[in-house]
Structures are given as structure tokens and as C-alpha cells.
């Protein structure tokens, strides 16, 4: 595979794709997500730059996810502006080239926040909803779930559903994560999912900024697990039962999480999985029950009572994932462009459940 990775420019030439190669999968899905950003920004431009981001890889655009802005200005002054938030791409191998058994048929890519676009107000509203774990009911999330459900049912998927892939960056990674969970929970379809800089809401980044030593973090985490374990036996018992069933259903879904060590938006996932693993080694029984719970559940009457809010759960509480960590000391740690570099050096760890 050959990809031009000049900063900001689109990929120029493609020779052959090895769909078994995990690095090539990363580069291609990252480029398609970039295509979803550029397609939205092309709306206001004469020159259309977006197609180069998918045509080089033999994809064609077959559908877009357009959502009305739900920001406070649109709500008060209306009418709502519509923005492109996601794109459905179909992979059509070049003539004479047989379809690779591991190749996707469709990739659905979701863009993240666009600071220099009018969509910023709607994007920031959603980012706030993610911070409060209230994103599940926002229309961009619900429309994305609807779109992918329709696509999977029309795509003649096998029992795994692996002909449809999901990808997203930042806010878009939150959407892809929500859709992937929904497909696994509802339909039992295990869609390959590529999440670039997915937001993780926790106190871990603050601890890192304050320079809390690793040993202290481990002890605090284990102490916190003991508290959660106790709560799971008492006040959060209904929530624990519900989340254990959720983990059971989701455990075979292994999304690819691409995180940068310096990116405070997503680096909570590093601590989340590394500390969970250490707790599993030290106290497996405690870790098994505590890992399904979040302190924020205490603020949620549904969690304590066990009623309502059945599907949203705690989005960041993933039973399984492959975590790809970029530790490069240079560059913007949250930008998408780092992920389509073919020679990127990453460390990876597979976390499985239980
Ligand atoms: Zn708006």
C-alpha cells in the first residue's frame, strides 16, 4: 500500500490493499473518516476535495448521515441548519481483482468536532452531552444507529455482520462506539469498529497532569474497586446485575481503540484498561464485579432502582478492546492525521473479558 501522507493533503496513489494487515486497516479507515470531515467542509466551497480521500482506496460514497443542528441558537431562532455528520462508503474492488475475504463491503465513517465550521455549536452541545453521559438520546446518535441498522439488514450480512465496519474520530468515535454497542446488544452483530481518539470521561487525565506516581494510582484504583465491589453488593446491586448482563453480551466485540498518551480527551482509556488488568491480577473477584460499575451511577436514580435507561449504560465501560497507544512526544495528540501514517510505531494490548 502506498499513501501520500503530506500534512493536510489527500492520499494520491493506491497500489494494493492487504485487508489482513492491521496497519493498512487503520490507515484506510482514518482516511475515510477524514473524508467525512472534508465532505462537510466542501459544502461551502466550490472545489470538491473530499472524493480523493475514498476514491484512492476504491470506495464510493453511497449515503450520508445528515442531522439538524440542535444547538441553543437553532432551537431559539431556528430554522435548524443541517450538517453532514457521517458517510456510508461502499468498497468496490478494481476490475479483475477478486474481493478479499477480509475486506469490508461498507464502512460507515463519523466525523468529530469541526472548530472552523458553523457546525461547531451543535458539535460542542454533543460534546457536553458526552461529558454528562447523556449522548445516547441525541438525534445524531439515534439517527446513526437507525442508519447502520438499516444498512446491516440490507447488506446481506453473515451472522457476524462483519461486512459493515464502523469508524470515527473524537465525537465521531463516540457515535461509532454507541452504534457498535447497539448492534451488538440489539442484533448480536459484531461490527469491526475503529475508534480514533475516543473521548473518555474520568479523573485519570487529571491525576496524570498532577504527576501522581504509578504505585499510588494503582493503590487508589484498587481501593476504588473495593468500594465499588461493596456498592455492587448493596446500593448498586440492580445496576451491577444489569451491567453484568451487558458485559456478557458485549464481551466478544473487540473495538480497536487508537489513543495517544498525551491526549487528555482519550488517554483515560489507557489507565482504565491498564489499571483494570492490574486489579484483575491482584483481586480477580473484586475486579470482576467492580469493573462493571461507575461512581456516576450513584447519581442516576435508574441505576439504583434498576428501572429505565436500559440501553445507555456507561459507554466507556467496555468489556473488551484492543488498545493501540501512540507515545510519540511530538505533534498534536488529538488530531486524526497521526493515524493514517503507514509507518506509525504503536504499542498494542488486547483486553478481554472476563
Ligand atoms: Zn445550531
Amino acid at each position: 500500500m502506498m499513501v501520500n501522507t503530506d500534512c493536510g493533503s489527500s492520499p494520491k496513489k493506491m497500489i494494493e490493499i492487504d485487508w489482513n494487515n492491521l496497519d493498512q486497516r487503520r490507515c484506510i479507515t482514518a482516511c475515510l473518516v477524514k473524508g467525512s470531515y472534508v465532505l462537510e467542509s466542501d459544502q461551502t466551497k466550490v472545489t470538491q476535495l473530499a472524493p480523493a480521500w475514498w476514491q484512492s482506496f476504491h470506495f464510493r460514497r453511497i449515503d450520508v448521515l445528515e442531522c439538524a443542528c440542535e444547538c441553543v441558537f437553532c432551537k431559539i431562532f431556528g430554522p435548524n441548519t443541517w450538517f453532514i455528520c457521517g458517510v456510508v462508503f461502499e468498497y468496490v474492488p478494481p476490475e479483475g481483482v477478486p474481493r478479499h475475504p477480509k475486506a469490508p463491503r461498507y464502512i460507515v465513517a463519523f466525523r468529530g468536532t469541526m472548530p472552523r465550521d458553523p457546525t461547531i455549536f451543535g458539535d460542542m452541545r454533543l460534546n457536553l452531552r458526552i461529558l454528562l453521559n447523556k449522548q445516547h438520546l441525541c438525534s445524531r446518535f439515534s439517527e446513526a444507529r437507525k442508519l447502520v441498522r438499516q444498512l446491516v439488514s440490507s447488506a446481506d450480512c453473515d451472522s457476524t455482520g462483519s461486512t459493515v465496519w464502523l469508524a470515527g474520530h473524537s465525537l465521531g468515535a463516540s457515535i461509532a462506539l454507541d452504534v457498535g454497542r447497539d448492534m451488538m446488544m440489539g442484533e448480536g452483530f459484531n461490527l469491526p469498529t475503529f475508534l480514533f481518539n475516543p473521548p473518555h470521561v474520568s479523573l485519570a487525565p487529571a491525576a496524570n497532569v498532577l504527576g501522581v506516581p504509578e504505585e499510588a494510582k494503582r493503590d487508589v484504583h484498587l481501593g476504588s474497586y473495593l468500594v465499588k465491589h461493596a456498592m455492587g453488593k448493596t446500593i448498586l446491586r440492580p445496576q451491577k446485575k444489569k451491567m453484568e448482563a451487558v458485559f456478557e453480551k458485549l464481551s466478544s466485540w473487540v473495538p480497536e481503540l487508537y489513543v495517544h498518551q498525551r491526549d487528555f480527551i482519550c488517554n483515560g482509556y489507557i489507565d482504565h484498561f491498564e489499571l483494570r488488568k492490574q486489579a484483575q491480577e491482584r483481586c480477580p473477584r473484586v475486579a470482576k464485579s467492580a469493573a462493571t460499575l461507575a461512581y456516576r451511577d450513584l447519581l442516576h436514580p435508574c441505576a439504583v432502582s434498576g428501572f429505565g435507561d436500559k440501553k445507555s449504560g456507561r459507554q466507556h465501560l467496555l468489556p473488551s478492546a484492543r488498545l493501540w497507544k501512540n507515545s510519540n512526544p511530538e505533534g498534536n495528540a488529538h488530531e486524526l492525521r497521526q493515524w493514517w501514517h503507514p509507518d506509525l510505531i504503536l504499542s498494542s494490548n488486547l483486553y478481554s473479558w472476563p
Side-chain angles (χ1 to χ4, degrees):
M1 188 177 80
M2 215 157 95
V3 185
N4 181 321
T5 53
D6 288 351
C7 293
S9 67
S10 23
K12 281 182 184 156
K13 198 177 173 190
M14 181 78 205
I15 296 177
E16 203 182 320
I17 304 170
D18 175 7
W19 288 104
N20 284 321
N21 183 311
L22 299 179
D23 288 329
Q24 294 194 13
R25 290 175 173 216
R26 162 177 55 78
C27 293
I28 293 167
T29 47
C31 284
L32 295 191
V33 174
K34 177 67 180 177
S36 68
Y37 275 98
V38 182
L39 193 65
E40 164 55 30
S41 65
D42 275 356
Q43 302 280 85
T44 51
K45 289 176 187 147
V46 183
T47 326
Q48 301 298 291
L49 300 171
W53 286 97
W54 57 82
Q55 284 173 353
S56 325
F57 306 110
H58 315 292
F59 280 85
R60 64 177 185 191
R61 189 187 96 190
I62 58 159
D63 201 0
V64 291
L65 174 68
E66 260 192 297
C67 293
C69 182
E70 295 178 298
C71 79
V72 67
F73 301 107
C74 291
K75 278 199 169 149
I76 296 172
F77 302 109
N80 294 59
T81 324
W82 288 72
F83 297 112
I84 292 172
C85 312
V87 185
V88 182
F89 298 105
E90 184 184 12
Y91 175 60
V92 185
E95 253 188 61
V97 177
R99 178 175 287 275
H100 191 285
K102 289 283 172 67
R105 196 163 286 271
Y106 301 101
I107 296 184
V108 189
F110 301 99
R111 67 163 178 86
T113 308
M114 296 183 68
R116 284 181 292 275
D117 198 88
T119 177
I120 179 69
F121 299 109
D123 292 351
M124 288 314 288
R125 178 188 172 275
L126 279 181
N127 287 328
L128 189 63
R129 303 286 291 182
I130 291 170
L131 203 59
L132 302 170
N133 196 48
K134 299 262 185 220
Q135 70 275 37
H136 186 75
L137 298 174
C138 294
S139 71
R140 203 182 298 189
F141 283 74
S142 59
E143 290 300 315
R145 293 195 297 272
K146 202 165 105 189
L147 175 95
V148 173
R149 251 182 257 142
Q150 281 169 355
L151 180 69
V152 169
S153 60
S154 69
D156 198 16
C157 283
D158 57 16
S159 58
T160 63
S162 59
T163 47
V164 178
W165 292 12
L166 304 170
H169 174 239
S170 194
L171 164 60
S174 272
I175 300 173
L177 178 60
D178 183 75
V179 173
R181 273 178 70 110
D182 179 69
M183 292 305 298
M184 199 62 201
M185 289 292 294
E187 326 287 327
F189 282 124
N190 191 331
L191 310 192
T193 305
F194 301 79
L195 307 170
F196 301 101
N197 304 88
H200 185 279
V201 182
S202 72
L203 292 174
N208 292 333
V209 170
L210 293 171
V212 177
E214 283 302 311
E215 206 170 321
K217 271 199 315 197
R218 264 203 307 273
D219 291 343
V220 168
H221 190 258
L222 191 60
S224 152
Y225 261 27
L226 287 167
V227 174
K228 283 182 188 171
H229 178 62
M231 289 197 309
K233 288 186 159 212
T234 52
I235 186 168
L236 288 179
R237 197 180 172 84
Q239 173 71 357
K240 191 184 135 218
K241 283 210 164 316
K242 193 178 87 178
M243 285 306 290
E244 276 174 354
V246 169
F247 266 45
E248 189 75 37
K249 271 194 166 177
L250 290 178
S251 61
S252 60
W253 178 52
V254 187
E256 311 282 343
L257 265 59
Y258 298 93
V259 300
H260 195 295
Q261 202 162 20
R262 283 186 293 107
D263 179 18
F264 70 93
I265 293 173
C266 66
N267 64 12
Y269 273 113
I270 300 173
D271 285 307
H272 174 79
F273 280 111
E274 285 180 357
L275 293 172
R276 188 183 92 176
K277 192 174 173 216
Q278 286 162 8
Q280 277 172 326
E281 284 160 3
R282 289 165 83 179
C283 290
R285 207 165 62 84
V286 170
K288 189 168 185 275
S289 85
T292 59
L293 295 172
Y295 285 115
R296 282 183 291 165
D297 290 331
L298 274 175
L299 306 172
H300 220 288
C302 295
V304 181
S305 70
F307 293 111
D309 196 30
K310 281 204 169 58
K311 277 198 170 171
S312 67
R314 298 289 147 200
Q315 205 193 38
H316 66 287
L317 293 179
L318 281 169
S320 315
R322 180 159 31 210
L323 191 78
W324 299 85
K325 187 163 68 174
N326 186 357
S327 307
N328 189 340
E330 282 158 24
N332 179 344
H334 191 66
E335 66 185 1
L336 175 62
R337 73 173 57 159
Q338 66 186 303
W339 302 115
W340 64 69
H341 200 292
D343 306 318
L344 191 60
I345 296 167
L346 300 170
S347 62
S348 84
N349 267 308
L350 184 67
Y351 296 95
S352 54
W353 183 264

